[in-house]
């Protein structure tokens, strides 16, 4: 599974809390789950540190344990990341920093995926049809109160009650079971032409701006991964009503396109 092209780009004017990594037969994208205004999440580390630790541990496990299940590799990576925090951090805080994650792995016969929170895996089949694996649990919370301050977001006191909870949503970072609640699956490798894994800074093309994934692959073929981010920025800049969305007007954007073989 070869990387055809990849990009990661911070939202204008901020640090990049996304990360992508790839090995011989796998690739991953992480998207740091940002802190809530006025909340430390019980942790002294920057989000980028948490994302880097998670990436390092997941990558090491993918390389060392090619036949273990993706959920086990990710679960163990969360445990190793928790151990890295040290005694200054309280991992029991429900707002502890974490990350969304998407992993794709080629086993020889199959392409497998794992998705948690705001990252996506999109499979393009040999006919050009696209199937997206999206974890939209955070968008399906019933009766979620939204606050409009710097950006529209859920109220932190509400998030405490649903983050890393059954019936709520999951992020990787401070709760190993989050890995067990990831969306996982596989398809025969013969059914896969290419795989796109991305953060929601890219998937907002389909979620906010009515693109199809076919259009995203077609644009990628014309302008590459960097051009895909340009398309996102253009859509954001010309959004007639950006305040209708929960979340930031711009977000870090990461895309990795892989060949299915
Ligand atoms: Zn910490």
């Amino acid at each position: 599974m070869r990387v055809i092209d990849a990009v990661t780009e911070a939202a204008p004017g901020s640090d990049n809390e996304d990360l992508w990594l790839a090995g011989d037969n796998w690739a991953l994208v992480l998207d740091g789950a940002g802190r809530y205004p006025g909340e430390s999440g019980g942790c002294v580390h920057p989000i980028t540190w948490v994302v880097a630790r998670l990436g390092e541990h997941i990558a090491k496990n993918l390389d060392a344990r090619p036949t273990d299940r993706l959920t086990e590799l990710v679960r163990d990576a969360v445990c190793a990341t928790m151990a890295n925090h040290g005694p200054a951090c309280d991992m029991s805080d429900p707002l502890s920093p974490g990350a969304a994650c998407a992993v794709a792995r080629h086993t020889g016969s199959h392409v497998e995926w794992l998705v948690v929170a705001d990252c996506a895996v999109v499979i393009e089949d040999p006919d050009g049809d696209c199937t997206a694996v999206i974890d939209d649990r955070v968008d399906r919370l019933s009766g979620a109160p939204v606050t409009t301050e710097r950006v529209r977001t859920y109220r932190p006191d509400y998030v405490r009650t649903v983050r890393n909870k059954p019936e709520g949503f999951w992020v990787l970072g401070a709760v190993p079971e989050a890995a067990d609640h990831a969306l996982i699956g596989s398809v025969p490798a013969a059914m896969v032409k290419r795989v796109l894994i991305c953060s929601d800074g890219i998937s907002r093309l389909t979620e906010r701006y009515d693109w199809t994934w076919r259009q995203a692959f077609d644009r990628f073929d014309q302008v590459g991964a960097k051009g895909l981010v340009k398309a996102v920025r253009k859509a954001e800049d010309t959004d007639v009503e950006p305040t209708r969305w929960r979340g930031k007007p711009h977000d870090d954007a990461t895309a990795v396109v892989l060949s299915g073989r």
Side-chain angles (χ1 to χ4, degrees), residues 4-5 9 36 54 65 68 77 95 97 108 120 130 133 135 144 150 154 156 172 189-190 198 203 208-209 225 243 257:
I4 299 169
D5 196 9
E9 196 179 297
Y36 292 85
L54 281 168
R65 297 158 56 185
D68 283 3
L95 299 182
C130 299
V133 183
D135 180 3
R150 194 169 55 85
Y154 293 147
L172 302 182
C198 63
S203 59
R208 295 187 175 187
Y209 301 117
T243 53
V257 177

Side-chain angles (χ1 to χ4, degrees), residues 1 32 41 45 49 74 113 115 119 131 135 165 168 179 183 191-192 199 231-232 248 251:
M1 198 144 114
H45 296 96
W49 180 93
V74 170
W113 60 82
V115 175
C119 284
T131 306
D135 180 3
K165 300 266 178 15
L183 306 181
M191 299 297 294
V192 181
S199 62
V232 172
K248 297 162 267 191
D251 200 357

Side-chain angles (χ1 to χ4, degrees), residues 123-130 187-194 214 260-261:
I123 307 282
E124 181 195 35
D125 75 17
D127 296 328
D129 292 330
C130 299
V187 285
M191 299 297 294
V192 181
K193 182 180 173 198
R194 291 182 293 187
R214 183 64 259 156
R261 293 162 216 290

